[in-house]
Amino acid sequence: MEDPAVANPEQPDYPQHWEADVLLRDGGTARIRPITPDDAGRLVEFYEQVSDQSKYFRFFAPYPRLSDKDVRRFTHHDFVNRVGLAVVVRDHFIATVRYDRIDAEGRPSETGTDAEVAFLVQDAHQGRGVASALLEHIAAVAQERGIRRFQAEVLPENRKMVKVFTDAGYTQHRSFADGVVHLEFDLEQTDRSLAVMRAREHRAEARSVQRLLTPRSVAVIGVSRTPQTVGRAILRDLLGDHAPADRPVYAVNRNAAPGTELDGVPVHRSILDIPGPVDLAVIAVPEGAVPAAVAECGAHGVQGLVVVTAGYAETGPEGRDRQRALVRQARAAGMRVIGPNAFGLINTDPQHPLNASLAPRLPGRGGFGIFCQSGAIGVALLEAAHKRGLGVSSFASVGNRSDVSGNDFLQYWAEDEATQVVLLYLESFGNPRKFTRIARRLAAVKPVVVVKGARHTGSLPPGHAVPATATGLRDATVDALFEQAGVTRVSTITELYDTGELLAQQPLPPGDRVAVVGNSDSLGLLTYDALLSAGLRPCTPVDLTTAATGENFRIALDVALADPSVDAVIAVAIPPIGTSAHAFMGGRLTGEDDPAMGSDDPEIAAALLEAGSRARELGKPLLLTHLALTDLPVRLRPGGIPAYAAPERAVHALAHAVHYAQWRRRTAEAEETARVPELDRIDEPGVRRLVEAALSTRAAVAARTQPGGARITLPEAEAAELLARYGIDVSPVRPAPDEETAVRAAGALGYPVALKATAPHLRHRPDLGSVRLDLTDEAGLRRAHHELDALLGGAAQAELVVQRMAPRGVDTVIAATVDPAVGAILSFGLAGAPAELLGDTAHRLVPATDQDVAGLIREVRAAPLLFGWRGAESVDTDALEELLLRVSQLVDDVPEIASVDLEPVVVAPHGLAILGARVRVAPLPVRSDLGPRAMSTL
């Protein structure tokens, strides 16, 4: 089916990349695109729907209709000096904007950097954020065409339009003359304009999800007479005991005979036959019938679709094309899409209960917001919540995630008071950079716990729509992304709920000191060992013996909680072996005929519940680990005390809570104190000139046609010059192809020197004997050169160089790499085996603050080597942190720098030396997160 939102993209010079789907303030969708001559009819129709007052505000005089000359003027553009954009819904214009380039005198121009801009929004769509979205897009178009400032004239009575301009956050100037407000504003993004844009994005995406979860009416398209079919199952779920009596549910079957009813619901042949409005439609028809169903939904004014039909991107390239067409079709009609291949949506809000899913029952009400991509995992997540007695606020299993994504639900859950903890099962990222930004804001107030699939393979499940840049995200990159966003990463669904339950039901621990109290010395010691392994600080376990009573537990727990040196308490419990309740009989720990027997002591449960109330008052979490107790966890549920059947599970959950609490405190502190210091010796223009020169070489131009793009490695001398312009000084090297040249080089550099091989297969491989150090005189240098020449197959092949010896210190590695999906990542580790063999490397997203780099060097496991391990002298970490800041600022200021590798960086007690450096550059990547708001078009 042809996309009605695209108007003659074959027209010469038609800028198709300006087309974009946008989300409006009320959660509806629309398409922004350039206006072309083919739009004459649409423009006239649009203008006829605009009120006389809006026309007066636009033209400053009564203007009842457009002349033929007006229509031609407003539909014929050169897309450079004159540009018009329209907002389109269901193939109808609802708003337009136009700019005309002018010179300093306000006359039409082909070279000026100013432009006049004017908007017109249909009255029925005013207040939906249409003009704000148009302003973002026309500003981006103007900047692309070399325009730096907009001018606008607005009547004072047109307060809505004045507000659009003033609220946008651009730097502006206002004047008033001849009864007209004259506005001028620069188009360069400011911190305020970016904040405004993201706040609008947040509200629109949250609202779009809210509309999906709280429909006033629902239709199921594809309801069969066969009870076991998908459509029929969803209809029954929508009609369950939870269903509100005042929300109509409709059934649609194209082949139904007149008067047919299924499950007490009249069946319509088309959604167009339904007499009332429909907010949400669940589509469960064969793939070939979906386009017609979507078209009818759009014509009927449906707001959102849940497409459970499979046969799309998961089937291959042709299916992916069908999936893209589905999304384009839905958005053009103002609808959002869950799916295709979706499991469905659930909302447990008592005011708006909804089970538009394949789940046979509505979960209990609770504080967990759950999102996943896999239907099978969705079933497992709902079943696990049911078995644990945990409630859900809302749930979404979105299948191929072609439109509505986890980012949209994060925006919604940030506003939803019923959601206390967010649980995610992710197999891929559509927009990792945006995920980081949204998750960081959400995690500052609510825990976000994630299981990330495909951790080691990096493979994507069939059907997942992601940009090419996000298909190969390294797991270390994902960890860095989660770490800085405050997202808690776990490995299994069991750990997901273990952690989520603790975070939802207990206070965040104020520290990492943990008391262990219980009636089993052995279980207490296992818990103690697990705490140490998790990096927490346990106190010596308090063993109450197996004969402990509820009163013994109460006293011991009260003492532990009152101790100011304790931040959390783990209670350990086993059945009271040796009592009449658990006599060892016939090889069992139970006696079936003993009427007093049970799996726990109710007095212990009462003591734990009392301690739980006390723990909340003190702001300390209390949790239980137990063995062979089936009733005790159930008894503790009313008090919100998590119970774990193994000490490792309890400890892992607590460790995640401690880490998250620490992140919250660091983040709050960093907002007040963290900064990106002003550094000296920063020459950004000089670096840009060097990069532009490198990218204009014949080799760089040729590389752009090669697979993987145009990453150009700079020669060592050029790399050193570029780095020096940011105060990053690389120790100079001199080539040593023969002994005489080596001797002259050493004389110029000064002894002592090092002689080393720099050929790619020998670089940073001292284990191959490719380096000679501390050469203090000419004789030693000649001897070393002769040895390496013989050992490595010739000095020229080994690419021998001479370099002045650096002070003794710790060898480290610093790198900054631009990942197109998430941005620049700053990495640090110790050179050699720690980083290469053990993967002991820490990462931060750029730009890094002073607190980021301080934490970076302390995060690696080998960090003690920097701080005086075994009596050694501590190295100059201040100099190391400054170097990290310089590298961070370099790749942040000049995004064409694709990577910087410094190895080794020898950090001495006083100062440091950079002995090797590599810089690669590439054409400027597209930063979609800094442009105007637009929905993904994967």
Side-chain angles (χ1 to χ4, degrees):
M1 180 176 178
E2 184 179 354
D3 183 358
V6 177
N8 193 15
E10 302 302 323
Q11 175 182 333
D13 302 320
Y14 180 83
Q16 191 155 1
H17 65 285
W18 292 351
E19 295 183 359
D21 295 323
V22 295
L23 203 56
L24 302 178
R25 181 181 300 155
D26 60 0
T29 63
R31 188 159 185 81
I32 292 178
R33 63 166 175 83
I35 298 173
T36 72
D38 290 346
D39 290 318
R42 295 184 183 89
L43 181 67
V44 171
E45 178 197 43
F46 158 73
Y47 195 76
E48 290 173 349
Q49 302 300 316
V50 176
S51 70
D52 290 340
Q53 183 185 52
S54 293
K55 294 173 182 175
Y56 183 86
F57 285 160
R58 169 64 175 85
F59 293 105
F60 296 3
Y63 214 92
R65 66 186 58 83
L66 296 175
S67 67
D68 291 344
K69 183 178 178 180
D70 292 329
V71 173
R72 178 175 176 81
R73 177 188 170 208
F74 292 134
T75 57
H76 285 68
H77 306 96
D78 62 8
F79 302 130
V80 178
N81 304 309
R82 299 177 308 282
V83 173
L85 301 180
V87 181
V88 187
V89 176
R90 299 188 184 97
D91 201 26
H92 298 284
F93 283 7
I94 66 170
T96 62
V97 65
R98 174 187 170 95
Y99 82 65
D100 292 87
R101 190 190 299 266
I102 58 176
D103 60 17
E105 306 302 323
R107 297 183 299 248
S109 169
E110 295 185 357
T111 59
T113 59
D114 282 22
E116 288 182 337
V117 65
F119 294 77
L120 186 59
V121 180
Q122 213 170 73
D123 296 67
H125 295 278
Q126 292 177 10
R128 299 183 67 199
V130 175
S132 299
L134 263 182
L135 177 56
E136 292 175 17
H137 283 263
I138 196 69
V141 166
Q143 283 189 292
E144 181 181 325
R145 296 312 196 200
I147 291 170
R148 298 291 173 258
R149 184 171 58 176
F150 272 163
Q151 298 184 26
E153 292 190 341
V154 185
L155 291 174
E157 310 96 281
N158 193 358
R159 297 184 182 89
K160 290 181 180 179
M161 200 66 243
V162 173
K163 185 173 172 58
V164 168
F165 289 125
T166 56
D167 287 355
Y170 297 106
T171 301
Q172 65 175 253
H173 310 279
R174 184 191 303 198
S175 59
F176 182 79
D178 300 325
V180 174
V181 177
H182 184 78
L183 295 167
E184 297 181 359
F185 50 96
D186 299 332
L187 300 184
E188 189 70 29
Q189 280 281 19
T190 66
D191 289 343
R192 181 167 176 264
S193 67
L194 193 60
V196 167
M197 184 174 67
R198 288 176 173 171
R200 288 170 173 166
E201 172 193 72
H202 168 72
R203 289 193 298 269
E205 291 176 353
R207 175 60 180 146
S208 74
V209 172
Q210 183 186 37
R211 294 205 315 179
L212 291 167
L213 288 171
T214 58
R216 293 164 297 180
S217 54
V218 185
V220 183
I221 303 174
V223 176
S224 169
R225 289 183 293 271
T226 305
Q228 291 77 26
T229 56
V230 169
R232 189 72 177 276
I234 293 176
L235 179 65
R236 287 195 299 270
D237 294 340
L238 284 166
L239 296 170
D241 295 339
H242 61 278
D246 59 347
R247 183 181 66 207
V249 175
Y250 304 102
V252 177
N253 184 317
R254 188 168 297 278
N255 300 315
T260 302
E261 286 193 3
L262 292 174
D263 297 315
V265 176
V267 182
H268 302 271
R269 292 174 63 86
S270 167
I271 195 171
L272 297 174
D273 297 336
I274 295 174
V278 175
D279 288 346
L280 180 68
V282 182
I283 296 180
V285 298
E287 178 274 322
V290 170
V294 173
E296 292 181 353
C297 287
H300 197 65
V302 173
Q303 295 179 352
L305 305 175
V306 176
V307 182
V308 299
T309 305
Y312 287 88
E314 76 276 9
T315 65
E318 292 184 1
R320 184 174 298 280
D321 290 341
R322 290 194 297 272
Q323 182 169 297
R324 289 170 175 155
L326 163 66
V327 174
R328 285 197 303 270
Q329 184 186 10
R331 288 178 179 173
M335 300 181 291
R336 299 219 68 183
V337 179
I338 297 284
N341 198 21
F343 184 78
L345 281 177
I346 291 175
N347 184 8
T348 64
D349 182 352
Q351 301 300 316
H352 305 280
L354 175 72
N355 185 8
S357 79
L358 293 168
R361 58 174 173 263
L362 192 72
R365 181 67 167 166
F368 289 100
I370 302 174
F371 176 90
C372 65
Q373 295 163 227
S374 160
I377 296 295
V379 172
L381 290 170
L382 291 174
E383 184 64 22
H386 175 71
K387 287 182 176 180
R388 289 171 176 252
L390 301 176
V392 174
S393 61
S394 49
F395 165 90
S397 179
V398 301
N400 292 2
R401 192 184 38 101
S402 64
D403 178 26
V404 178
S405 71
N407 288 342
D408 295 296
F409 275 88
L410 291 179
Q411 301 276 38
Y412 169 74
W413 283 322
E415 301 295 322
D416 181 35
E417 294 182 357
T419 300
Q420 299 172 317
V421 176
V422 171
L423 305 181
L424 307 175
Y425 176 83
L426 301 179
E427 294 167 334
S428 62
F429 291 99
N431 189 336
R433 197 191 301 262
K434 182 177 178 180
F435 172 87
T436 305
R437 170 167 52 85
I438 297 172
R440 182 180 177 88
R441 185 182 66 242
L442 175 58
V445 292
K446 299 179 182 181
V448 179
V449 190
V450 174
V451 176
K452 172 66 172 64
R455 179 168 194 150
H456 298 292
T457 65
S459 60
L460 294 177
H464 283 228
V466 301
T469 55
T471 57
L473 277 180
R474 295 181 305 157
D475 199 59
T477 300
V478 174
D479 275 337
L481 183 153
F482 286 158
E483 174 68 27
Q484 286 201 255
V487 172
T488 299
R489 182 175 188 173
V490 298
S491 300
T492 65
I493 291 177
T494 298
E495 193 178 1
L496 182 76
Y497 274 113
D498 284 349
T499 304
E501 185 176 1
L502 176 60
L503 290 169
Q505 298 182 342
Q506 292 292 309
L508 288 177
D512 59 358
R513 302 165 300 179
V514 186
V516 180
V517 177
N519 64 354
S520 169
D521 180 52
S522 299
L523 190 57
L525 288 174
L526 287 173
T527 305
Y528 180 89
D529 290 342
L531 288 164
L532 283 175
S533 298
L536 304 181
R537 294 187 290 167
C539 307
T540 303
V542 176
D543 178 26
L544 304 177
T545 77
T546 56
T549 64
E551 180 65 12
N552 297 140
F553 267 90
R554 187 191 65 78
I555 294 172
L557 290 171
D558 192 57
V559 169
L561 289 167
D563 188 342
S565 65
V566 169
D567 301 309
V569 176
I570 297 180
V572 299
I574 62 171
I577 299 173
T579 66
S580 59
H582 281 75
F584 185 80
M585 299 173 60
R588 298 195 310 271
L589 291 178
T590 58
E592 296 176 0
D593 299 326
D594 187 343
M597 183 181 53
S599 68
D600 64 25
D601 183 345
E603 292 184 3
I604 294 178
L608 286 166
L609 290 169
E610 181 181 338
S613 299
R614 176 70 172 149
R616 282 188 177 80
E617 294 174 1
L618 296 171
K620 300 179 180 182
L622 171 65
L623 53 160
L624 170 74
T625 180
H626 65 92
L627 293 179
L629 295 173
T630 57
D631 294 340
L632 184 57
V634 178
R635 296 181 190 273
L636 298 182
R637 281 179 186 172
I641 299 175
Y644 305 95
E648 297 81 9
R649 289 175 54 190
V651 169
H652 286 161
L654 181 59
H656 287 310
V658 168
H659 187 75
Y660 171 64
Q662 291 171 339
W663 179 87
R664 288 265 294 255
R665 289 191 292 271
R666 284 198 312 270
T667 301
E669 179 184 349
E671 289 181 356
E672 301 293 331
T673 61
R675 62 191 183 93
V676 178
E678 291 285 339
L679 300 170
D680 60 358
R681 299 177 59 199
I682 300 297
D683 180 13
E684 182 180 340
V687 168
R688 289 192 177 279
R689 287 193 296 271
L690 292 172
V691 170
E692 289 171 6
L695 291 174
S696 64
T697 63
R698 181 177 301 178
V701 173
R704 298 183 190 188
T705 65
Q706 301 302 313
R711 291 199 169 196
I712 305 300
T713 301
L714 299 183
E716 288 189 3
E718 292 181 20
E721 180 185 357
L722 183 150
L723 293 169
R725 292 180 183 272
Y726 264 66
I728 302 169
D729 297 317
V730 181
S731 296
V733 298
R734 301 289 177 86
D738 54 64
E739 287 186 21
E740 298 305 325
T741 304
V743 170
R744 287 196 298 272
L749 294 172
Y751 288 98
V753 297
L755 181 68
K756 59 184 182 180
T758 60
H761 65 290
L762 298 172
R763 186 186 295 269
H764 309 309
R765 292 296 307 274
D767 55 308
L768 299 179
S770 59
V771 179
R772 296 292 186 271
L773 303 175
D774 288 318
L775 305 175
T776 59
D777 54 30
E778 180 179 334
L781 176 58
R782 288 183 181 275
R783 183 167 55 253
H785 194 284
H786 179 76
E787 292 173 356
L788 290 183
D789 183 73
L791 177 66
L792 303 177
Q797 182 177 345
E799 298 180 21
L800 295 181
V801 298
V802 174
Q803 188 172 43
R804 184 174 174 82
M805 280 295 299
R808 294 292 184 183
V810 178
D811 290 1
T812 64
V813 180
I814 292 174
T817 303
V818 175
D819 187 309
V822 300
I825 299 172
L826 184 67
S827 304
F828 171 78
L830 269 63
E836 296 176 14
L837 183 62
L838 303 178
D840 187 16
T841 306
H843 309 274
R844 292 290 185 276
L845 299 181
V846 168
T849 67
D850 53 353
Q851 294 186 14
D852 286 331
V853 297
L856 189 65
I857 66 174
R858 290 163 175 80
E859 186 174 305
V860 295
R861 296 189 296 277
L865 294 173
L866 303 171
F867 297 96
W869 186 62
R870 289 189 173 180
E873 188 175 2
S874 297
V875 301
D876 191 346
T877 53
D878 289 342
L880 182 58
E881 290 173 14
E882 180 181 324
L883 176 58
L884 286 161
L885 287 168
R886 290 184 181 277
V887 174
S888 170
Q889 184 171 341
L890 173 62
V891 296
D892 190 48
D893 288 348
V894 189
E896 294 91 344
I897 295 178
S899 67
V900 175
D901 295 282
L902 307 180
E903 182 181 5
V905 178
V906 182
V907 190
H910 302 286
L912 54 77
I914 304 170
L915 303 185
R918 184 179 69 167
V919 176
R920 294 194 296 171
V921 297
L924 181 66
V926 176
R927 285 289 304 274
S928 58
D929 60 320
L930 296 181
R933 286 173 289 158
M935 302 171 73
S936 170
T937 55
L938 299 174

